[in-house]
Amino acid sequence: KLHEFAQLLKELGVTRRDVCRAPVERLYLRAEERWQRAMPANFDVAPFGTGADRAEQRRFRGKIEAFATRRGRDGRFAFVLPVAACSRDPTICELDKESAADWLAAHG
């Protein structure tokens, strides 16, 4: 079956560069000195931070959710894999000109 699937991909013109594994979010648990495979949806900084930290976390999660669901004027998702399937909307493409560090500095 794997050979048939590989043949189908070849016939469709799909290369290894087109195929990628879904990204995995990980969280380092310092107290346990290990990586947790996925950050739990309800992860809270409460044991480690202040009310301001929790508010910042909520704002950040809101921005990430907005990016995850955003679509361009062309109807495509702003950010999706493979990258070739992303929106070509100029307002979204503008984000490629800004580093993550600059974006974080500007948006706190």
Side-chain angles (χ1 to χ4, degrees):
K1 296 287 183 188
L2 185 58
H3 175 71
E4 292 171 2
F5 181 67
Q7 184 63 34
L8 173 64
L9 292 177
K10 185 176 180 181
E11 290 171 11
L12 293 173
V14 176
T15 67
R16 288 182 185 199
R17 297 186 82 179
D18 298 322
V19 180
C20 59
R21 184 189 309 187
V24 176
E25 188 169 7
R26 299 184 308 153
L27 173 67
Y28 185 70
L29 302 174
R30 189 174 306 193
E32 299 175 30
E33 295 184 348
R34 70 176 181 87
W35 286 96
Q36 179 171 305
R37 184 152 168 82
M39 185 178 290
N42 63 349
F43 177 76
D44 190 3
V45 296
F48 315 105
T50 65
D53 293 330
R54 289 188 297 280
E56 181 178 7
Q57 184 184 40
R58 281 191 302 275
R59 282 191 308 274
F60 180 73
R61 284 180 184 247
K63 289 181 183 294
I64 295 303
E65 180 63 25
F67 277 132
T69 58
R70 185 174 175 184
R71 289 182 184 261
R73 284 182 246 147
D74 55 8
R76 293 177 169 196
F77 280 106
F79 306 103
V80 67
L81 293 175
V83 174
C86 290
S87 174
R88 300 286 190 264
D89 185 320
T91 59
I92 291 170
C93 292
E94 276 294 309
L95 291 169
D96 282 337
K97 297 177 183 175
E98 187 174 17
S99 72
D102 289 343
W103 186 90
L104 285 169
H107 295 54

